[in-house]
Each structure stands twice: as structure tokens, then as C-alpha cells.
Amino acid sequence: MSQSILEVRHLRTLVALRDSGSLVRAAQLLNLTQSALSHQIKLLEDRYGQPLFERKSVPPQFTAVGERLLALADAVLPQVEGAERDIARLVLGQGGQMRIAVECHTCFDWLMPAMDAFRTRWPEVELDIVSGFHADPVGLLHQGRADVAIVSEVDGDEAGVDYHALFGFEIRALLANTHPLVAKPHLVAQDFADQTIITYPVPDEMLDLIRQVLEPAGVRPPRRTTELTVAMLQLVASGRGVAALPLWAVQSYLDRGYVTARPIGDKGLRGELHAACLPSLSAKPYLQDFVQVTRETSFVTLKGVELL
């Protein structure tokens, strides 16, 4: 039998294609160009003389050959990744602590699944969330009260802090189903001028709608605040005001027709999330794995997410 051309990267490519649902998203997940990813797949198809999946199906439907390689990937990749983590433990020592502080009320929708996945990979690392909402989570790093801060912006002037990109996402305006603005394909700053904006109880500078859209246009509508996402959506549905939230945070409500969403601006409004930590933690393998697990989990499971 001739020598196999299979490499770990080929198996990761097939898993990424299955989990992400398209060549474009698989390339983003693997930080490859679509051309490089297609080349890997063609190499395997030329080797085996059969296609690995149906090109016109979305999500891709794998052939028998593709399914067999996926079965191999599912068996081999966890062992490879586990061995790499074991080696890191042997070289750098076991154990550690990651106390996570967040500045966003909706973080828990994606953070909890990522933490669950991380715990199975690094059970010896103590993982916890710093209780309460924090307007300045990066400050907690310097005070030794947190190890990782989830933030929406990278502060280039913040000395002694490393930032690890997680993902970007679309923010949509949320309206009652009978609201007149539903007739518009997208909303602009002036559309909010005579509306009550329903938000979380945070400063203006922490809200992308105000910071990126309303403030530059000089629009200052009244605000009403609530701690809970579900309460916010109830107020929107009953016509008490409008809101702006990440698409992934409200997708289930949109699927049920509870409220209506519209893009903000002709190109849409985007938000970002980053993990900030001190440089001493950046070098830890478990921190790097936490960032990777979070990126992959969120990209595959959340609606409208793009990797940064």
C-alpha cells in the first residue's frame, strides 16, 4: 500500500467544513483562504478518486468517502489535542486559575457553553466568573481581582494588557411587530430620535448604538433601562420602546415572531468581543486554548458571528 498523504490539517479541514456548514465559514474558522482550503480538499479527492461531499448541497452532504474520513477525524483529533495538552502540562506544570470578568449583560449566552467545553479539556484549571456587572473589567486585572476580562474594545493606550480577539457580530434594532419602522429595510440615526431606547443600565459609551450611531449624529433619545434581556424584549413587544441587541442574543425570539429585527445603517452595525489578560497569562497554554475554544464554539453555534 502506498504511503498515506493524510495529515492532521486535512482532518481538521473536514471537521471545520462539517461544523461550519460552508467552505467560506470553514476557511474563516481555520484562518485560511478559501483557495487554500479548496486545494486541501482537491488533494484528497484526487488521491482517493472520489468527491468528499456534494458541492451543491448546503450544508454540505458528505459522501461515503467523506464520512469515513470524518469518522477518522472524530477518533484521532481528540487524541492529538489531548496529547498536546498533556505535553503542555508536563512542560509547564499543571493547574491554574481563570477568574473571568465581563462588561456585557449578554455575554453569558455564549460564555457558558465555551466554559463548559473548556472544563472538559482542562479540569485542573479553576474557572470562575467574577460576580456582578463591571464597567471597567480591565481594571480588575491590574487589581488582581480577575484574570480575564471580556471587553468590547481594544484600548491601545492600556499598558501591560494583552488582547485576544474573539469574534465580531451584527447588532440589530428590535421593534414591535406592528411598529411603523418595520416598513423600512434598515434604520438610521434619525429613526431613533422620537423613540424610547430600551437598554441595559450601563453608561452611554458602553452601548454600540449610542457610541457608533446616535452620538455622532447628535441624536439623544430618552432611555429606559432593565437588567434582563427578556424584560427588554417584553417592553419592545408591547410597544414601550425599541432596542438594539446582538443578533445571536435574540435569534430564538425572532424565530418565534415575538419581535421584528431590522439592520442599523445600510451596512449594518457591528460589535466585537475580546479577551483581555496580563502578559503573564497570555503565555499559558490553557489561556490560549480557552481563546481558541471560545472562538470555535461561538462561530459554529451563534447566528451572525464572524471571527476577528
Side-chain angles (χ1 to χ4, degrees):
M1 180 179 293
S2 60
Q3 185 175 2
S4 174
I5 65 168
L6 274 177
E7 300 177 14
V8 169
R9 63 190 179 103
H10 297 143
L11 300 180
R12 286 182 171 142
T13 291
L14 294 177
V15 170
L17 180 58
R18 177 191 63 193
D19 292 349
S20 65
S22 73
L23 285 169
V24 173
R25 288 179 61 81
Q28 293 175 351
L29 185 59
L30 296 169
N31 196 28
L32 295 172
T33 64
Q34 190 174 343
S35 174
L37 186 141
S38 296
H39 177 74
Q40 284 190 30
I41 293 172
K42 185 177 185 303
L43 182 70
L44 294 176
E45 291 180 330
D46 289 346
R47 172 66 176 84
Y48 299 117
Q50 295 287 332
L52 301 184
F53 62 96
E54 299 295 335
R55 291 299 195 275
K56 295 183 180 180
S57 63
V58 179
Q61 298 296 314
F62 286 86
T63 64
V65 175
E67 290 286 359
R68 181 62 186 88
L69 291 175
L70 278 172
L72 175 65
D74 289 338
V76 169
L77 290 181
Q79 295 187 49
V80 171
E81 293 165 359
E84 290 176 338
R85 291 192 297 273
D86 288 342
I87 292 170
R89 294 181 182 102
L90 291 170
V91 173
L92 300 174
Q94 298 189 15
Q97 176 179 252
M98 285 206 307
R99 297 161 297 168
I100 303 173
V102 300
E103 69 175 15
C104 58
H105 283 69
T106 54
C107 278
F108 299 102
D109 292 342
W110 59 264
L111 182 57
M112 298 307 290
M115 290 175 65
D116 289 342
F118 177 82
R119 284 192 180 99
T120 65
R121 299 162 67 93
W122 296 89
E124 70 277 17
V125 175
E126 183 180 346
L127 196 61
D128 199 4
I129 294 178
V130 180
S131 61
F133 168 74
H134 305 283
D136 181 24
V138 173
L140 300 183
L141 303 180
H142 296 299
Q143 298 167 22
R145 296 167 55 196
D147 304 293
V148 177
I150 305 299
V151 298
S152 56
E153 286 189 296
V154 172
D155 185 354
D157 296 328
E158 184 76 42
V161 174
D162 291 344
Y163 291 90
H164 303 270
L166 296 178
F167 56 86
F169 53 90
E170 183 180 5
I171 300 169
R172 292 276 183 96
L174 303 172
L175 310 164
N177 293 329
T178 57
H179 198 292
L181 289 175
V182 168
K184 299 196 64 173
H186 64 266
L187 306 189
V188 296
Q190 291 302 323
D191 292 322
F192 295 90
D194 58 352
Q195 304 296 320
T196 296
I197 308 300
I198 303 171
T199 74
Y200 298 114
V202 300
D204 286 359
E205 60 269 19
M206 296 184 67
L207 295 169
D208 290 289
L209 174 64
I210 294 177
R211 187 178 72 249
Q212 296 188 48
V213 179
L214 302 185
E215 189 67 30
V219 175
R220 297 179 178 84
R223 283 176 61 189
R224 177 174 179 173
T225 63
T226 178
E227 290 275 358
L228 301 176
T229 302
V230 64
M232 188 181 300
L233 293 173
Q234 287 174 346
L235 290 170
V236 169
S238 61
R240 307 293 181 87
V242 301
L245 288 172
L247 181 58
W248 49 263
V250 297
Q251 188 62 52
S252 63
Y253 296 92
L254 298 177
D255 292 341
R256 299 199 304 268
Y258 191 66
V259 294
T260 298
R262 287 291 178 266
I264 301 172
D266 56 354
K267 296 181 179 179
L269 176 61
R270 307 293 298 179
E272 296 182 354
L273 286 175
H274 304 260
C277 67
L278 300 184
S280 58
L281 183 60
S282 285
K284 300 289 187 181
Y286 58 79
L287 183 280
Q288 298 167 14
D289 201 42
F290 173 78
V291 170
Q292 187 65 23
V293 166
T294 299
R295 284 166 55 84
E296 292 178 356
T297 302
S298 302
F299 183 74
V300 170
T301 60
L302 300 180
K303 181 74 173 181
V305 162
E306 296 180 356
L307 295 181
L308 300 174

